[in-house]
Short mmCIF file of all heavy atoms in Angstrom, two decimals:
data_model
loop_
_atom_site.label_atom_id
_atom_site.label_comp_id
_atom_site.label_asym_id
_atom_site.label_seq_id
_atom_site.Cartn_x
_atom_site.Cartn_y
_atom_site.Cartn_z
N THR A 13 88.08 98.62 107.86
CA THR A 13 86.82 98.00 107.65
C THR A 13 86.96 96.46 107.63
O THR A 13 86.16 95.71 108.20
CB THR A 13 86.24 98.48 106.29
OG1 THR A 13 85.98 99.83 106.39
CG2 THR A 13 84.92 97.73 106.00
N GLY A 40 88.95 76.78 107.46
CA GLY A 40 89.32 76.33 108.78
C GLY A 40 90.27 77.27 109.52
O GLY A 40 90.45 77.12 110.71
N ALA A 42 91.41 80.77 111.18
CA ALA A 42 90.83 81.92 111.87
C ALA A 42 91.42 83.19 111.21
O ALA A 42 92.62 83.26 110.85
CB ALA A 42 91.09 81.95 113.35
N GLY A 45 93.19 89.30 111.56
CA GLY A 45 93.09 90.71 111.41
C GLY A 45 93.64 91.21 110.12
O GLY A 45 94.28 90.43 109.38
N THR A 74 85.16 94.43 99.12
CA THR A 74 83.79 94.67 99.59
C THR A 74 83.44 93.57 100.58
O THR A 74 83.99 92.42 100.43
CB THR A 74 82.74 94.74 98.47
OG1 THR A 74 81.49 95.13 98.98
CG2 THR A 74 82.64 93.39 97.74
N LEU A 94 86.38 85.17 100.43
CA LEU A 94 86.52 84.55 101.71
C LEU A 94 85.18 84.52 102.43
O LEU A 94 84.68 85.55 102.98
CB LEU A 94 87.51 85.38 102.57
CG LEU A 94 88.95 85.55 102.06
CD1 LEU A 94 89.75 86.56 102.88
CD2 LEU A 94 89.67 84.18 101.98
N ALA A 95 84.54 83.37 102.41
CA ALA A 95 83.29 83.17 103.12
C ALA A 95 83.58 82.71 104.56
O ALA A 95 84.42 81.79 104.72
CB ALA A 95 82.41 82.20 102.40
N PRO A 107 76.65 81.52 109.75
CA PRO A 107 77.24 82.24 108.61
C PRO A 107 77.70 83.66 109.05
O PRO A 107 76.96 84.36 109.69
CB PRO A 107 76.11 82.28 107.61
CG PRO A 107 75.29 81.08 107.93
CD PRO A 107 75.37 80.98 109.41
N SER A 115 88.80 92.77 90.87
CA SER A 115 89.77 93.41 89.95
C SER A 115 91.12 93.66 90.69
O SER A 115 91.78 94.64 90.40
CB SER A 115 89.26 94.67 89.31
OG SER A 115 88.06 94.42 88.71
N VAL A 118 97.08 92.62 92.59
CA VAL A 118 98.13 91.87 93.36
C VAL A 118 97.40 91.04 94.42
O VAL A 118 96.72 91.55 95.27
CB VAL A 118 99.10 92.84 94.05
CG1 VAL A 118 100.11 92.07 94.94
CG2 VAL A 118 99.88 93.71 93.04
N ARG A 154 115.77 109.46 104.89
CA ARG A 154 115.62 108.90 103.58
C ARG A 154 115.38 109.97 102.48
O ARG A 154 115.93 109.97 101.37
CB ARG A 154 114.51 107.88 103.51
CG ARG A 154 114.79 106.62 104.36
CD ARG A 154 113.72 105.52 104.16
NE ARG A 154 114.01 104.42 105.06
CZ ARG A 154 113.58 103.18 104.74
NH1 ARG A 154 112.87 103.01 103.63
NH2 ARG A 154 113.88 102.17 105.56
N LEU A 155 114.53 110.93 102.78
CA LEU A 155 114.28 112.04 101.84
C LEU A 155 115.57 112.79 101.59
O LEU A 155 115.81 113.26 100.45
CB LEU A 155 113.21 112.96 102.44
CG LEU A 155 111.76 112.40 102.41
CD1 LEU A 155 110.87 113.26 103.28
CD2 LEU A 155 111.22 112.38 100.98
N GLU A 160 119.12 116.19 95.19
CA GLU A 160 118.87 116.70 93.85
C GLU A 160 117.52 116.34 93.32
O GLU A 160 117.03 116.93 92.33
CB GLU A 160 119.95 116.17 92.90
CG GLU A 160 119.73 114.75 92.39
CD GLU A 160 119.94 113.64 93.43
OE1 GLU A 160 120.45 114.00 94.56
OE2 GLU A 160 119.62 112.51 93.15
N ALA A 166 110.11 112.82 95.41
CA ALA A 166 110.60 112.20 96.64
C ALA A 166 109.48 111.84 97.59
O ALA A 166 109.54 110.84 98.26
CB ALA A 166 111.58 113.21 97.34
N ASN A 178 99.43 110.86 94.84
CA ASN A 178 99.53 112.10 93.97
C ASN A 178 98.82 113.26 94.58
O ASN A 178 99.29 114.35 94.60
CB ASN A 178 99.06 111.75 92.57
CG ASN A 178 99.72 112.62 91.50
OD1 ASN A 178 100.96 112.79 91.54
ND2 ASN A 178 98.97 113.18 90.62
N ARG A 188 102.72 124.22 101.52
CA ARG A 188 104.04 124.68 101.92
C ARG A 188 104.67 125.71 100.99
O ARG A 188 105.76 126.17 101.17
CB ARG A 188 105.01 123.48 102.05
CG ARG A 188 104.73 122.51 103.12
CD ARG A 188 104.82 123.17 104.54
NE ARG A 188 106.21 123.71 104.71
CZ ARG A 188 106.52 124.55 105.68
NH1 ARG A 188 105.61 125.02 106.47
NH2 ARG A 188 107.81 124.97 105.84
N ALA A 209 101.99 114.19 107.36
CA ALA A 209 101.52 113.16 108.39
C ALA A 209 100.32 113.62 109.12
O ALA A 209 99.41 112.83 109.32
CB ALA A 209 102.67 112.95 109.33
N MET A 211 97.99 115.68 107.98
CA MET A 211 96.82 115.72 107.12
C MET A 211 96.25 114.35 106.90
O MET A 211 95.03 114.15 106.86
CB MET A 211 97.20 116.38 105.75
CG MET A 211 97.40 117.86 105.86
SD MET A 211 97.30 118.68 104.26
CE MET A 211 98.68 117.95 103.42
N VAL A 224 89.84 116.03 102.51
CA VAL A 224 89.50 117.40 102.37
C VAL A 224 90.71 118.24 102.88
O VAL A 224 91.03 118.18 104.06
CB VAL A 224 88.23 117.78 103.13
CG1 VAL A 224 87.96 119.31 103.06
CG2 VAL A 224 87.03 117.04 102.62
N SER A 234 87.11 121.13 97.74
CA SER A 234 87.74 120.39 98.81
C SER A 234 89.27 120.31 98.67
O SER A 234 89.96 119.97 99.62
CB SER A 234 87.14 118.95 98.88
OG SER A 234 87.39 118.31 97.68
N VAL A 238 94.48 120.27 93.24
CA VAL A 238 94.22 118.97 92.54
C VAL A 238 92.83 119.05 91.91
O VAL A 238 91.80 119.33 92.58
CB VAL A 238 94.38 117.79 93.46
CG1 VAL A 238 93.88 116.50 92.83
CG2 VAL A 238 95.80 117.63 93.91
N PRO A 244 90.45 129.39 89.02
CA PRO A 244 91.26 130.31 89.91
C PRO A 244 91.67 129.62 91.17
O PRO A 244 90.93 128.91 91.79
CB PRO A 244 90.26 131.48 90.14
CG PRO A 244 88.91 130.88 89.92
CD PRO A 244 89.11 129.85 88.83
N GLU A 263 108.50 108.89 87.31
CA GLU A 263 108.75 110.05 88.19
C GLU A 263 108.02 111.29 87.67
O GLU A 263 108.17 112.36 88.21
CB GLU A 263 110.25 110.37 88.26
CG GLU A 263 110.99 109.28 89.01
CD GLU A 263 112.34 109.77 89.60
OE1 GLU A 263 112.80 110.83 89.12
OE2 GLU A 263 112.91 109.07 90.43
N ALA A 278 114.76 130.31 92.27
CA ALA A 278 115.47 131.24 91.41
C ALA A 278 116.39 130.53 90.48
O ALA A 278 116.60 130.94 89.31
CB ALA A 278 116.26 132.20 92.32
#
Side-chain angles (χ1 to χ4, degrees):
T13 297
T74 187
L94 300 171
S115 303
V118 176
R154 295 187 181 207
L155 287 165
E160 80 289 350
N178 208 46
R188 290 298 301 164
M211 288 198 298
V224 175
S234 60
V238 171
E263 294 202 346

